[in-house]
Amino acid sequence: LIDLVSTDSGNRAANKNYVDSVAQGLDVHAACKIRAQSNVNVASPGATLDGISMSSGDRVLMDLQTTVTEDGIWIWNGAASAMTRAADLPLGLSAAGAFVFIQQGTDDGKGFVCTNDVPNDIVGTHGLTFSQFSGAGTFIAGNGMVLVGNTFHFSTSGTYTVGDMFYASAASGSA
């Protein structure tokens, strides 16, 4: 069988992505445009979040709220309009295993999963912890290194410190 749609019934065939997500214990949700990098005023969120211009209906993962019961997936309704909870992760729902992919901003290309355990995972009741589960851009080049795509290159010129060690080199190029 090829080109199966996502299943919504117990008597339909399931595609591989659905089976893989269930096998991993994930509850896959629609992607969010951004993941907020700090507290967002849900009553009046402003026109940009994480440096990205927002449009009505954009989904936002918020897991760094000062009021932790505001953690979860929200819908942006306008710069001066109150945000609303996403219909697929509403108040009172268990969020354990909720997985969401981020499309833009600082966390572009990364997936996050709610790591709260049942019964401490109720939207609007508990603070929700979303941890990075997958994604591009997972690696960061340290001192003396350059990351190009998925390949690290070591710099052979310049000076840098790694831990308590100081390095200096006059050579040029990369290894």
Side-chain angles (χ1 to χ4, degrees):
L1 298 173
I2 59 171
D3 296 327
L4 293 174
V5 296
S6 294
T7 185
D8 59 358
S9 172
N11 62 355
R12 296 184 77 177
N15 64 34
K16 182 180 181 322
N17 289 340
Y18 174 80
V19 172
D20 288 348
S21 73
V22 172
Q24 293 178 21
L26 299 179
D27 178 16
V28 180
H29 291 262
C32 288
K33 185 171 189 175
I34 63 106
R35 174 178 172 252
Q37 300 300 303
S38 61
N39 186 68
V40 173
N41 179 349
V42 295
S44 183
T48 62
L49 296 175
D50 192 25
I52 303 295
S53 295
M54 303 300 289
S55 299
S56 185
D58 283 344
R59 294 167 59 87
V60 179
L61 175 60
M62 300 195 317
D63 63 329
L64 301 172
Q65 291 298 100
T66 302
T67 303
V68 296
T69 56
E70 293 178 347
D71 291 345
I73 300 173
W74 291 79
I75 305 299
W76 189 91
N77 297 308
S81 299
M83 296 177 78
T84 51
R85 293 275 186 180
D88 61 338
L89 200 62
L91 287 173
L93 189 73
S94 169
F99 175 83
V100 64
F101 186 75
I102 307 302
Q103 297 175 314
Q104 295 181 31
T106 302
D107 291 314
D108 179 21
K110 297 177 183 172
F112 289 82
V113 65
C114 180
T115 58
N116 290 57
D117 292 325
V118 175
N120 299 313
D121 65 331
I122 305 302
V123 176
T125 301
H126 303 103
L128 302 177
T129 301
F130 282 82
S131 299
Q132 185 177 337
F133 183 76
S134 65
T138 303
F139 302 107
I140 299 172
N143 290 331
M145 300 175 73
V146 177
L147 176 61
V148 179
N150 293 324
T151 305
F152 282 98
H153 299 274
F154 295 94
S155 175
T156 57
S157 64
T159 61
Y160 51 94
T161 304
V162 178
D164 294 334
M165 303 294 292
F166 176 78
Y167 299 91
S169 173
S172 62
S174 61

